Amino acid sequence: MQAFRTKPIIESEFLGYDDLHPTQLLAPGKFQVADNCLISDNKISKVTGSSAINTQIAAQPFNGLGSFQKFSSGDKWLIANLNGASTASIYSSTGGNFTAINAANTFTNSTKMYFTVANNSIFGFNQTEVFDWDGTTFTKNRAGIPLGNFAEWFHNYLFVAATTANPNRLYFSNLGAPTTFTGADFVDVNPGDSYSITGLGMLQDELFVFKRNTIWSITGWSGTTFGATTIATQNTNVRLFGYGCVAPGSIMSVGNDIYFLSFLSGTPQIRSLKKTQFAQTLGGGIISYDITGTMSDINKTYMTNTVGVFDGRYCYWAITTGSATTNNKIIVLDTWGIRKVKGITIYPWTTMTGKNASFLTKNSLSGSDIVYYATTSLTSGLVYKFDSSLYTDEGVNITMTATPRTFMLDPSRKSKWKYLYIKFDTGVSATLNVKARADLAADYTLQKAVSLAGSS
């Protein structure tokens, strides 16, 4: 009798997950599912957990979470806007419980607030009120500062965008003075096109102004000669027509790219605006194409919930999926793993469930930058940090799922046994459930529950 042998299937590298293509046609190194794991550095690692840094502030939802690091004094805070019984308050934390800092000043409940740091003060904007705080003095609605929706401190100017009365207007402060605005110092960005400004971003020497279907940039900095005339006639440039950004909190600068959430043709996608080697800023295309299944599950009514943060390696976006009304999933991009494979750029994605983040930020309160998030719970009033010492999220054990591509062997060859070899780190108090299915069966069947406490 002739003996048939099958050639071993070896995954030489791991490239994240892909829920767009059929499982049996996935490229080597791609996974069907990669939840609560990081697929990087040629290994699969279970994500670590999160822990609350504070007792309950109030049984209310958050309106914003920001970070303020005052390097002139070395002081660091987390800043939160939280609803109250009738009005919201601003709180600060140095890594533990939060304390109200707004004194007698009150803020509108259930109104999202965006933060930016300028000239050693933190500013909060919600299109209804504005505050600035330098760690000591708190001022609400300082005279002259526009009541915009969001702002950026760039080239020593504070840019404020999208007031209620002028949703297409971009204001800028005096040079080096973020609390002083001159009435004529503004530019209307493509007014009358039926779309308001939806966010601001920065990439090298350009300030980007996002609208729903267009992207513009401000350039041409020349100190005190930079003004309303030059910004309007010379330095406002269109970068893209046809698509823009739908969620201000999704915009993040990553090296030579700006990533942002866009929505066209029925499916939200993370797109890129890229600085090329020739110093030109061009559309970098869709970077979330391979996870279109996940992106299409975003609740379209709550796309503006999307928030993101970059920790120096990983980009995290908290999204609202299915029938949920608050963020219930995080998509993660390993920027170190971006590479070209056979001429195609591969973006290695994974997901996290269990970290329910309404807002994300990072701070070096512990000595190095880590990610903090305000929970989506409407009654907990808790802020969590990514905690490498735990494998629970909000008190619940983390379950990791890594489902590889379906392996289709040579149909002319038969083999009774299939062998799977795995190698894992030792000393982990957990169990690895190995499951399998044959001929694209609907369900996976447990083959072995492997204790990870022993040898690999």
Side-chain angles (χ1 to χ4, degrees), residues 146-449:
L147 300 180
N149 203 9
F150 26 75
E152 289 285 3
W153 175 243
F154 192 62
H155 274 275
N156 290 331
Y157 295 94
L158 181 62
F159 289 87
V160 180
T163 62
T164 300
N166 296 286
N168 293 294
R169 184 163 292 179
L170 179 69
Y171 300 86
F172 56 95
S173 71
N174 287 6
L175 180 65
T179 59
T180 303
F181 285 74
T182 300
D185 284 349
F186 64 84
V187 60
D188 290 320
V189 181
N190 212 41
D193 63 359
S194 299
Y195 297 103
S196 63
I197 296 174
T198 56
L200 300 175
M202 298 180 291
L203 181 59
Q204 294 188 8
D205 221 28
E206 294 181 86
L207 176 74
F208 287 89
V209 182
F210 292 83
K211 304 181 89 170
R212 188 179 180 91
N213 286 328
T214 56
I215 302 174
W216 303 76
S217 74
I218 308 298
T219 57
W221 314 97
S222 53
T224 55
T225 63
F226 177 80
T229 300
T230 58
I231 195 175
T233 59
Q234 303 172 26
N235 303 327
T236 301
N237 315 281
V238 63
R239 289 304 179 200
L240 285 175
F241 276 120
Y243 61 85
C245 178
V246 295
S250 70
I251 301 167
M252 68 175 83
S253 298
V254 181
N256 289 326
D257 285 89
I258 291 183
Y259 298 142
F260 56 95
L261 183 70
S262 184
F263 179 59
L264 288 173
S265 300
T267 301
Q269 294 284 6
I270 302 293
R271 290 181 177 265
S272 164
L273 196 61
K274 183 185 293 288
K275 182 77 74 172
T276 71
Q277 61 179 325
F278 304 108
Q280 296 295 315
T281 305
L282 302 172
I286 295 172
I287 68 170
S288 57
Y289 178 72
D290 285 345
I291 61 168
T292 294
T294 297
M295 301 306 291
S296 63
D297 193 39
I298 291 178
N299 189 325
K300 311 306 184 294
T301 304
Y302 298 96
M303 289 186 297
T304 56
N305 284 355
T306 303
V307 293
V309 69
F310 177 53
D311 71 357
R313 174 169 185 174
Y314 296 100
C315 294
Y316 304 91
W317 284 275
I319 58 177
T320 302
T321 64
S323 60
T325 59
T326 58
N327 293 336
N328 59 348
K329 178 176 287 190
I330 295 177
I331 54 174
V332 184
L333 173 64
D334 178 9
T335 63
W336 291 10
I338 299 172
R339 70 194 77 176
K340 283 190 177 292
V341 177
K342 296 181 179 179
I344 299 174
T345 302
I346 301 296
Y347 295 93
W349 292 95
T350 56
T351 61
M352 292 183 184
T353 51
K355 294 179 175 69
N356 301 303
S358 57
F359 299 95
L360 289 158
T361 191
K362 68 177 180 180
N363 199 304
S364 61
L365 284 164
S366 63
S368 59
D369 277 329
I370 61 173
V371 175
Y372 295 82
Y373 70 90
T375 178
T376 59
S377 169
L378 301 181
T379 58
S380 78
L382 295 176
V383 172
Y384 290 82
K385 67 178 180 179
F386 283 22
D387 192 333
S388 60
S389 67
L390 296 175
Y391 286 93
T392 59
D393 275 330
E394 302 181 24
V396 179
N397 288 333
I398 296 173
T399 298
M400 181 189 83
T401 303
T403 307
R405 62 192 175 105
T406 300
F407 299 107
M408 298 188 72
L409 303 178
D410 186 341
S412 66
R413 300 184 178 187
K414 302 294 181 182
S415 178
K416 181 177 181 181
W417 303 102
K418 303 291 185 294
Y419 296 92
L420 174 66
Y421 295 89
I422 58 175
K423 183 176 181 180
F424 54 89
D425 293 335
T426 60
V428 179
S429 180
T431 299
L432 175 67
N433 292 325
V434 181
K435 300 181 180 182
R437 66 178 183 178
D439 300 325
L440 298 179
D443 297 321
Y444 287 84
T445 302
L446 180 66
Q447 306 299 309
K448 183 70 175 178

